[in-house]
Amino acid sequence: MTPKLILTGFMATGKTSVGPLVAKRLGWEFVDVDTVIAARAGKPIAQIFADHGEAHFRRLEREAVAHLTSDRRRCPNCHGPHPEVISTGGGVLVDESNCAALKRVGVIVCLTARPEVIAARVERSKAKRPKLTEGGKSTLDRIKELMEERADAYARADVHIDSSDLTVEQLAERIIAAFGEHAARRVLPSAQRCVPSA
Ligand code: S3P
């Protein structure tokens, strides 16, 4: 059985750029949890936070995770779970039920980066990140604070990869290799044809 590849990690660690590339290289489908939430709500994530608050967003996030992890489609080759790369928002693992559901269907790959690298990426990007504007701190201080708060949640992932000094292509390669190694330990040898070689 080939598990799904779940990509998570702090904001601006590269999930959005690398996720579609990883999916393309594996020939798998790509789905982004935040895109699913925004489509279902009919508004962007930052607007959901502004109109309804974080608790409401987290409810929508739990619903989206529950929906994506109860996917009954099967892989035509190994008859395991439908092969898919699922990219999540940076706060998804904070909720233990999300983490358990994602672990049940996949290998969780958590991207990390140095706080200074994240701050520089955030300053360059146009994406609105409501969690980083809370508390009136500098972006760097807020990143450090939130990273510390979430350290235990991120530690629950199966694999950790630091994207600070990697190109998107290098990052994709590392993710696929680490996933292959980890997935191979969780599958039956007879069904390994769907697991990418490390
Ligand atoms: C969040 C990260 C965001 C998005 C929401 C909350 C978080 O996704 O889900 O703004 O709590 O870390 P990205 O990590 O893709 O920016």
Side-chain angles (χ1 to χ4, degrees):
M1 240 178 41
T2 309
K4 295 178 192 285
L5 194 162
I6 318 293
L7 258 189
T8 192
F10 201 85
M11 290 163 270
T13 48
K15 304 176 299 266
T16 307
S17 326
V18 82
L21 181 59
V22 167
K24 191 168 167 220
R25 296 228 174 135
L26 292 172
W28 290 5
E29 228 172 81
F30 174 76
V31 58
D32 181 87
V33 175
D34 279 351
T35 305
V36 170
I37 297 169
R40 287 176 151 201
K43 54 178 94 172
I45 301 297
Q47 203 58 48
I48 300 175
F49 269 78
D51 292 349
H52 312 285
E54 179 170 359
H56 181 74
F57 168 76
R58 297 298 170 197
R59 250 192 318 277
L60 299 182
E61 186 172 54
R62 270 195 301 279
E63 283 170 17
V65 168
H67 171 71
L68 291 170
T69 54
S70 55
D71 177 11
R72 300 230 173 272
R73 292 170 301 167
R74 312 308 290 176
C75 167
N77 294 328
C78 70
H79 306 291
H82 179 74
E84 198 171 42
V85 175
I86 300 178
S87 180
T88 77
V92 84
L93 292 189
V94 173
D95 182 306
E96 290 191 31
S97 68
N98 285 340
C99 184
L102 291 165
K103 269 214 171 160
R104 195 165 36 76
V105 299
V107 173
I108 305 182
V109 179
C110 181
L111 302 185
T112 65
R114 294 188 295 278
E116 293 73 14
V117 171
I118 291 179
R121 288 177 184 166
V122 166
E123 305 290 350
R124 278 200 305 270
S125 136
K126 288 196 188 74
K128 288 194 179 143
R129 295 192 156 95
K131 288 300 292 174
L132 293 183
T133 48
E134 288 171 1
K137 299 206 160 143
S138 74
T139 306
L140 184 58
D141 284 348
R142 177 64 184 141
I143 289 167
K144 287 180 178 167
E145 179 180 69
L146 200 52
M147 269 187 165
E148 206 169 303
E149 271 175 34
R150 292 184 172 174
D152 289 348
Y154 291 139
R156 295 185 199 123
D158 298 302
V159 176
H160 297 86
I161 301 175
D162 189 335
S163 70
S164 303
D165 302 311
L166 301 177
T167 64
V168 181
E169 284 74 20
Q170 289 169 331
L171 183 58
E173 271 169 37
R174 294 267 185 99
I175 292 169
I176 291 169
F179 173 75
E181 279 168 25
H182 204 92
R185 284 188 240 132
R186 278 181 44 176
V187 299
L188 298 171
S190 62
Q192 282 191 6
R193 60 179 172 268
C194 293
V195 179
S197 52

